[in-house]
Amino acid sequence: MAIMNSDPWYADIANYLCSTFIPEEFDSQARKKLKYEARRYVWEEPFLYRRCNDGIYRRCVTHKEGKAILQSCHETTYGGHLSTSRTQARVLYCPCLFTDAYAFVHSCDSCQRRGHIGRRDEMPLNNILEVELFDVWGVDFMGPFPSSFGNQYILVAVDYVSKWIEAIAAPTNDSRVITKLFKDYIFP
């Protein structure tokens, strides 16, 4: 595809949609590709729109317009000099957006002088639950098993903070066994 620098990146698609013109230097594979790609685009004089995966039609812009859009989304007061991915998320205008945004953000003088806040430097957004040892317990009976010395059940208590486990054999699976476990074995 021989597009001159003054032509926008979508010149072949716009020409095909307007007049079904395909450049003569295209081989059969390039012709098929152009016809296939043109299905997603709509020409509404004087702009070209692309139907994206979310069903929204977005206007296609030239590289020159794209650089101005990137500049306004990155350098203005509401832009915030954000990272490449944040700048890309604010604007979707052409297939080469990601490389353009990467180059633009990495050539920004202010961002280069100041550095950036990485994920490692950010404060956590979730509250940290502070628990002490033996504050959170999990208690469960296992069994019934074949009787051994009159015991058919195993009571297992796990401290979730320290991962400490206590297990005792029990003849029944009721609240008296749990009370006995905590009174006699865990908190004597």
Side-chain angles (χ1 to χ4, degrees):
M1 294 175 26
I3 297 177
M4 297 169 49
N5 290 336
S6 62
D7 291 338
W9 59 270
Y10 54 82
D12 292 331
I13 296 171
N15 290 336
Y16 177 75
L17 290 174
C18 292
S19 61
T20 64
F21 171 75
I22 298 176
E24 297 165 354
E25 65 268 5
F26 279 18
D27 59 349
S28 64
Q29 183 64 29
R31 289 172 190 258
K32 287 179 187 177
K33 183 179 178 188
L34 179 64
K35 289 178 183 178
Y36 180 77
E37 287 180 358
R39 296 184 314 163
R40 296 182 183 169
Y41 293 89
V42 175
W43 177 256
E44 185 66 35
E45 187 72 33
F47 300 115
L48 180 70
Y49 295 92
R50 182 177 192 266
R51 185 175 189 271
C52 296
N53 292 338
D54 55 3
I56 296 174
Y57 287 89
R58 291 186 172 93
R59 185 171 77 89
C60 301
V61 297
T62 62
H63 288 293
K64 189 175 183 181
E65 288 176 306
K67 291 195 188 298
I69 292 169
L70 279 174
Q71 184 175 4
S72 67
C73 288
H74 179 74
E75 291 183 350
T76 55
T77 55
Y78 58 86
H81 288 277
L82 298 173
S83 66
T84 304
S85 58
R86 285 295 201 56
T87 304
Q88 291 167 358
R90 289 176 176 228
V91 58
L92 293 170
Y93 68 90
C94 75
C96 54
L97 161 73
F98 302 105
T99 55
D100 287 351
Y102 181 82
F104 186 82
V105 170
H106 286 277
S107 65
C108 177
D109 184 51
S110 175
C111 292
Q112 296 302 315
R113 289 176 191 266
R114 184 176 26 145
H116 67 281
I117 296 174
R119 295 255 185 235
R120 189 175 11 160
D121 303 322
E122 292 178 356
M123 293 295 292
L125 298 177
N126 300 336
N127 295 332
I128 298 173
L129 181 63
E130 293 183 20
V131 292
E132 297 290 328
L133 288 175
F134 308 114
D135 274 355
V136 184
W137 284 89
V139 181
D140 198 11
F141 280 100
M142 294 172 56
F145 296 109
S147 181
S148 173
F149 299 103
N151 298 316
Q152 290 185 321
Y153 297 93
I154 298 174
L155 176 62
V156 180
V158 178
D159 173 35
Y160 288 139
V161 179
S162 67
K163 308 292 189 245
W164 180 61
I165 299 173
E166 187 71 38
I168 63 167
T172 60
N173 59 348
D174 57 6
S175 62
R176 286 180 295 196
V177 176
I178 296 173
T179 307
K180 181 181 176 190
L181 169 74
F182 281 96
K183 278 186 176 178
D184 296 342
Y185 294 99
I186 298 177
F187 300 115

